[in-house]
Amino acid sequence: MAAGSTLPRVRDPITWLGMGLIALTRQVGEFSLFAFQAMGWLLTRRPGRTELLLCMVEVAVQSVAVVSLTGAFIGMVIAVQTYDQFRFMQMETQLGAAVNVSIFKELGPVLAAIMLAGRIGCAMAAEIGTMKITEQIDALWALGASPMHYLVVPRFLACVLMTPLLVLFADAAGAIGGWFFAVHVLGVNDAHYWSHCLGYITTFDVLGGVFKSIFFGAAIALNACYRGFHCGAGAQGVGQAATEAFVLSFLGILVLDFFLSTFLNGLNDILYR
Amino acid sequence: MTPQEELAEPAWPEGSPLATEPPGMSSAGKSRHRPPVTDPVLEFRHISRRFGSQEVLREVSFQIQRNETIAIIGESGCGKSVTLKLMIGLMQPSSGTVFLDGKPHRERTEDEWTRERLRFGFLFQGAALFDSLSVYENVAFGLRQNTDWGEDEIADAVSQRLHEVGLPPTAARKMPSELSGGMRKRVGLARALALAPEIMMYDEPTTGLDPIMSDVINELILQTRQNRPLTSIVITHDMVTVGRVADRVLMFYPRARLKPDEPQIIFDGTPQEAFTSSDPRVYQFCHGQAGERIREMTAA
């Protein structure tokens, strides 16, 4: 029998579906195990101060400009897109509420996290993937260091701690961008803009966005590190790991956002209504 | 010409020392004795290793004696590097048991393994230096992770190791990307030796190096063994290295090319015996003769 004939041939949709489900279950299982191991290391041994600081600089300092710029333009775009509708209803002064509620509750955290997934997630997956294919991860083991502790824990902590900070930068930049365009370009009254804004935005909204970003940061770091550790051979494998890291982080952020927003809305109802 | 006729014609002229003994083999190498077979530090017992449907190792058994230098040779894909990773626990066998000092690997806890792993030094094929760290930081890495030494002690140890592998102190500040292949290998060796291992593993130490640098690495392997009691395992295709550094040679053969019941280790003896082996597969490999492989590949 030829070697090739031993491979299962997909003849019908049921077989195809079954194989897909098995592969998905295996991936989810492996990822869960990876995440649990990372949590285990996180809880049992502190990461090196230098590694953690370097990761924090990489995540936060080098991302602050691009995240702020994204936030600023999102603020301005919301102002542009909503101004006509509000003017039609003679409610231009409500623009501040629309812009800031969108930014603080949803767009600031989600878009900042997506920018981070692209900038940091891909870089992490590519860096760890390259370390894997050049045997640097094996070298860590051989030198008595756990790659999980040395590589994953500092990256995870850096993302979890720095993403909320970056989200605050994105929120602030979005608020300023929206205000600038609404007040200085579209001519909305400054005092009314802010008074309506403050009437609609609560501390819970701002903190809710920051709370969500903690989970986004964790998802970006774990997904990127997992992809790096399971990177295929060669340059193509590293490229694929980086692409998968971004795509799956993006999807993960949107899925998490849905569930966290639902949870926060319920919590808000319980606490304040 | 048949394979037998090819074998009758050695690669070197008759009477040449190279016709019967390993190239580069020193007189010291010729007179080396195999250590008494009483103190195995590592043992493979019926080890098999599969990757999906592909079986790389099947029922492989051998022992490595304390303080001997063993070379593992064989064609690409015959499982040499896998063997090395199984020894150090970087990979688990599909079946069978690896023993370290008589204790099976799988009976060790994770903490025990972390400690035991420090008994091994590993020179990787591409050196596997950490790209983001300088030469100094690379060599100091194991010391920082596993000792509570102060910075002065670490600096002394790094400087000593770099000196031992023939690198100037100025190399310590360089990044791995600024080093040549030979320098990378030497830094990798200095890093592996930093924790004073009992068992040193070399994965193709001279691959990709020019003959002079290969000789430097071979000399360093010899010196390392002379400086301290050390069990060395050298994975290589380079028969000059085998001739210069090894007490004993194991030759692995790819599973796919073996008969069903044939053992995967087709040779176990001294380098001199390998070079004069009556098994055509061993002889051809040692003398770099393709033999019937060219016809097989052409037919394929």
Side-chain angles (χ1 to χ4, degrees), chain B residues 75-91:
Chain B
E75 292 177 32
S76 299
C78 69
K80 303 185 299 294
S81 295
V82 170
T83 301
L84 218 53
K85 287 182 179 174
L86 287 166
M87 283 178 189
I88 197 175
L90 287 175
M91 206 178 263

Side-chain angles (χ1 to χ4, degrees), chain B residues 251-264:
Chain B
M251 181 165 169
F252 283 43
Y253 208 63
R255 278 296 316 152
R257 303 188 64 238
L258 284 170
K259 291 171 192 148
D261 296 328
E262 212 176 359
Q264 197 162 359

Side-chain angles (χ1 to χ4, degrees), chain A residues 78-155:
Chain A
I78 298 170
V80 171
Q81 294 291 3
T82 49
Y83 177 72
D84 285 341
Q85 281 82 20
F86 278 93
R87 195 176 60 169
F88 180 72
M89 294 183 282
Q90 296 183 333
M91 292 170 68
E92 300 98 306
T93 51
Q94 299 281 355
L95 201 57
V99 168
N100 288 299
V101 166
S102 308
I103 285 173
F104 282 100
K105 288 183 82 169
E106 283 302 325
L107 294 175
V110 169
L111 288 172
I114 287 170
M115 282 305 294
L116 279 180
R119 216 196 76 78
I120 297 298
C122 289
M124 279 182 188
E127 186 185 4
I128 295 176
T130 305
M131 288 184 78
K132 189 195 171 201
I133 64 169
T134 55
E135 296 185 305
Q136 290 177 54
I137 289 181
D138 284 345
L140 283 172
W141 278 118
L143 290 165
S146 161
M148 196 62 89
H149 175 254
Y150 185 75
L151 296 174
V152 181
V153 171
R155 283 164 175 76

Side-chain angles (χ1 to χ4, degrees), chain A residues 1 6-7 9 17 22-23 28 42 60 87 94 109 145-146 156 160 174 180 191 200 203 236 241 261 263 268 270 273:
Chain A
M1 190 186 280
T6 58
L7 294 170
R9 294 183 66 183
L17 187 66
I22 289 169
V28 170
L42 180 69
R87 195 176 60 169
Q94 299 281 355
S146 161
F156 177 81
V160 165
F180 174 81
Y200 280 92
T203 310
Q236 193 184 9
S261 297
F263 166 74
N268 192 30
I270 291 167
R273 283 175 196 171

Side-chain angles (χ1 to χ4, degrees), chain B residues 14-254:
Chain B
E14 206 169 329
S16 156
L18 294 177
T20 52
E21 63 193 39
M25 190 179 204
S26 60
S27 55
K30 276 187 277 183
S31 62
R32 271 200 300 272
H33 295 293
R34 289 167 65 179
V37 282
T38 53
D39 189 15
V41 62
L42 270 163
E43 183 182 353
F44 267 42
R45 206 176 285 174
H46 307 297
I47 293 291
S48 298
R49 173 68 201 190
R50 288 176 169 279
F51 293 96
S53 61
Q54 192 188 1
E55 191 173 48
V56 177
L57 296 176
R58 193 169 100 184
E59 290 286 317
V60 171
S61 297
F62 64 91
Q63 291 184 340
I64 297 173
Q65 306 302 320
R66 201 174 303 280
N67 297 339
E68 83 173 331
T69 299
I70 186 167
I72 299 179
I73 61 172
E75 292 177 32
S76 299
C78 69
K80 303 185 299 294
S81 295
V82 170
T83 301
L84 218 53
K85 287 182 179 174
L86 287 166
M87 283 178 189
I88 197 175
L90 287 175
M91 206 178 263
Q92 299 306 316
S94 305
S95 65
T97 312
V98 183
F99 293 85
L100 175 63
D101 283 334
K103 188 173 180 184
H105 274 7
R106 62 166 167 262
E107 285 181 14
R108 294 178 197 278
T109 62
E110 190 57 42
D111 283 347
E112 245 183 303
W113 244 124
T114 306
R115 281 194 302 276
E116 289 296 330
R117 212 171 263 136
L118 300 179
R119 295 173 57 194
F120 293 85
F122 204 124
L123 175 60
F124 289 87
Q125 196 173 339
L129 301 181
F130 304 126
D131 297 328
S132 55
L133 304 181
S134 67
V135 166
Y136 178 91
E137 294 294 335
N138 263 283
V139 180
F141 188 89
L143 299 170
R144 289 198 203 287
Q145 290 289 320
N146 301 291
T147 68
D148 50 7
W149 288 9
E151 198 49 47
D152 290 346
E153 287 168 295
I154 289 176
D156 285 347
V158 170
S159 157
Q160 194 181 332
R161 295 301 176 218
L162 289 177
H163 176 73
E164 210 172 311
V165 299
L167 286 170
T170 49
R173 289 192 298 273
K174 292 192 172 177
M175 297 302 284
S177 57
E178 298 172 81
L179 305 177
S180 67
M183 284 175 89
R184 290 174 72 89
K185 284 272 167 83
R186 284 189 279 164
V187 174
L189 184 57
R191 186 178 69 179
L193 293 173
L195 286 163
E198 295 167 41
I199 304 163
M200 190 62 209
M201 298 178 153
Y202 303 89
D203 190 1
E204 304 198 14
T206 57
T207 298
L209 301 181
D210 63 69
I212 304 295
M213 193 45 68
S214 296
D215 198 43
V216 169
I217 297 292
N218 291 337
E219 191 56 36
L220 285 172
I221 295 173
L222 282 171
Q223 276 178 19
T224 303
R225 196 178 59 165
Q226 282 158 10
N227 291 346
R228 54 176 73 78
L230 193 69
T231 306
S232 305
I233 300 139
V234 185
I235 300 282
T236 186
H237 292 126
D238 184 346
M239 296 313 294
V240 177
T241 300
V242 173
R244 282 206 66 188
V245 307
D247 300 316
R248 181 180 157 210
V249 181
L250 289 182
M251 181 165 169
F252 283 43
Y253 208 63

Side-chain angles (χ1 to χ4, degrees), chain A residues 155-195:
Chain A
R155 283 164 175 76
F156 177 81
L157 272 179
C159 281
V160 165
L161 296 174
M162 293 295 107
T163 308
L165 200 67
L166 288 166
V167 163
L168 286 176
F169 271 99
D171 287 348
I176 293 167
W179 162 80
F180 174 81
F181 201 82
V183 173
H184 293 283
V185 178
L186 300 174
V188 177
N189 181 278
D190 196 2
H192 283 131
Y193 181 92
W194 284 118
S195 68

